[in-house]
C-alpha cells in the first residue's frame, strides 16, 4: 500500500508543478503582450504625428497647385496626382487611428486602467531599446529560448507527469496483501476442548 500512496503523491506533486508552469507561461504571455501593445501604441502615435505633418504639407501644396492650375502654369494631371496622394494619406491616417484605438483598448484591458493611456518614452530610451538586442550567436539564443520557454518546460514536465501517472496506475493494479495473525473466539474455544 505504501507504494501506491507514494506514487499518488508524486503524481499530485507533478500536477502542481504543471499548474505552476502554466501560470508562469500566462504571466510571461501577458507581460509580453503588455510590452508589445505599449510600444506599438507609442510608435503608432509617432506615425500619426508624421502623417499629420505630411498631410499638412501636401494640402498646402495641393492648394498652391490648384491656384497655379487655374492660371494655367501647371498641368491638371499634376494636380490630380497630388489629390490622390492626399486621399491616400487620409486613408493611412484612418488606419493608424483605428490601430491606436485597438491598442488603447488592449492596454485598458491588460492594465485595468479606465482612463486614457498615454505612452511616454524619451527618444534616448527608444533608441536604447531598439539598439539593445540581446540575441548573441545562434546556439546561445537557442539555449536561452529553451531555458526560458515555459511551453517547452511544461511539455518536459508533462512527459514526467505521464510517467508518474503510469507508475501510479501500475501500482494500483497490484493487489494489497494483508499478512498477519488473526483469531476468533471459536478457534480459541476449539483449542480449549
Amino acid at each position: 500500500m505504501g507504494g501506491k500512496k507514494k506514487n499518488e503523491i508524486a503524481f499530485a506533486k507533478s500536477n502542481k508543478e504543471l499548474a505552476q508552469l502554466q501560470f508562469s507561461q500566462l504571466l510571461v504571455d501577458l507581460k509580453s503582450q503588455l510590452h508589445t501593445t505599449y510600444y506599438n501604441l507609442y510608435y503608432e502615435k509617432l506615425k500619426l504625428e508624421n502623417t499629420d505633418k505630411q498631410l499638412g504639407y501636401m494640402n498646402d501644396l495641393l492648394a498652391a497647385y490648384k491656384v497655379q492650375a487655374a492660371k494655367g502654369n501647371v498641368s491638371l494631371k499634376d494636380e490630380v496626382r497630388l489629390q490622390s496622394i492626399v486621399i491616400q494619406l487620409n486613408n493611412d491616417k484612418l488606419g493608424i487611428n483605428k490601430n491606436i484605438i485597438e491598442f488603447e483598448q488592449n492596454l485598458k484591458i491588460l492594465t485595468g486602467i479606465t482612463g486614457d493611456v498615454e505612452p511616454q518614452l524619451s527618444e534616448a530610451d527608444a533608441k536604447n531599446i531598439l539598439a539593445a538586442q540581446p540575441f548573441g550567436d545562434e546556439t546561445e539564443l537557442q539555449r536561452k529560448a529553451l531555458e526560458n520557454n515555459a511551453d517547452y518546460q511544461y511539455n518536459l514536465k508533462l512527459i514526467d507527469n505521464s510517467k508518474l501517472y503510469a507508475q501510479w496506475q501500475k501500482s494500483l493494479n497490484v493487489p494489497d496483501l494483508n499478512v498477519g495473525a488473526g483469531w476468533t473466539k471459536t478457534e480459541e474455544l476449539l483449542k480449549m476442548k
Side-chain angles (χ1 to χ4, degrees):
M1 279 180 58
K4 290 179 184 180
K5 197 64 170 169
K6 182 181 104 180
N7 290 335
E8 183 180 1
I9 290 170
F11 179 67
K13 284 181 182 178
S14 181
N15 281 337
K16 177 186 168 194
E17 291 170 359
L18 284 173
Q20 288 173 336
L21 283 171
Q22 284 177 325
F23 182 70
S24 67
Q25 179 62 37
L26 176 65
L27 290 179
V28 167
D29 289 345
L30 288 174
K31 185 178 178 182
S32 174
Q33 189 176 2
L34 180 64
H35 282 236
T36 302
T37 305
Y38 184 84
Y39 290 116
N40 282 342
L41 179 61
Y42 174 77
Y43 287 111
E44 285 294 310
K45 288 194 175 204
L46 284 180
K47 195 188 303 183
L48 181 63
E49 287 177 23
N50 288 333
T51 303
D52 282 339
K53 286 178 188 175
Q54 289 177 2
L55 199 53
Y57 296 142
M58 294 307 288
N59 280 328
D60 291 345
L61 188 60
L62 181 61
Y65 262 76
K66 284 184 180 184
V67 169
Q68 292 302 317
K71 293 180 181 179
N73 294 336
V74 292
S75 69
L76 188 57
K77 186 168 115 177
D78 290 337
E79 181 185 342
V80 171
R81 202 176 296 144
L82 279 176
Q83 282 178 335
S84 69
I85 292 173
V86 169
I87 291 170
Q88 182 61 44
L89 281 173
N90 280 320
N91 287 338
D92 291 346
K93 185 178 175 180
L94 288 174
I96 293 168
N97 281 325
K98 180 181 171 250
N99 290 341
I100 287 174
I101 290 170
E102 287 177 14
F103 292 140
E104 286 176 341
Q105 288 173 344
N106 286 343
L107 272 179
K108 286 178 183 180
I109 290 170
L110 290 170
T111 60
I113 297 172
T114 55
D116 289 338
V117 177
E118 187 65 39
Q120 297 177 353
L121 195 63
S122 70
E123 277 190 44
D125 289 340
K127 287 179 183 177
N128 288 339
I129 289 169
L130 290 175
Q133 298 298 325
F135 295 127
D137 65 343
E138 186 178 333
T139 56
E140 180 68 15
L141 179 61
Q142 188 175 21
R143 185 189 63 77
K144 285 181 181 179
L146 290 177
E147 282 178 8
N148 298 317
N149 188 341
D151 283 336
Y152 176 72
Q153 297 295 330
Y154 176 81
N155 287 325
L156 288 178
K157 186 51 78 174
L158 189 59
I159 291 168
D160 292 341
N161 182 279
S162 298
K163 289 176 184 175
L164 288 171
Y165 181 73
Q167 187 177 358
W168 178 42
Q169 291 301 313
K170 271 187 194 175
S171 67
L172 288 176
N173 289 335
V174 175
D176 292 336
L177 297 176
N178 290 330
V179 177
W183 60 276
T184 62
K185 284 194 172 198
T186 55
E187 290 175 356
E188 194 174 301
L189 288 174
L190 288 175
K191 288 182 185 177
M192 289 185 171
K193 288 186 181 183

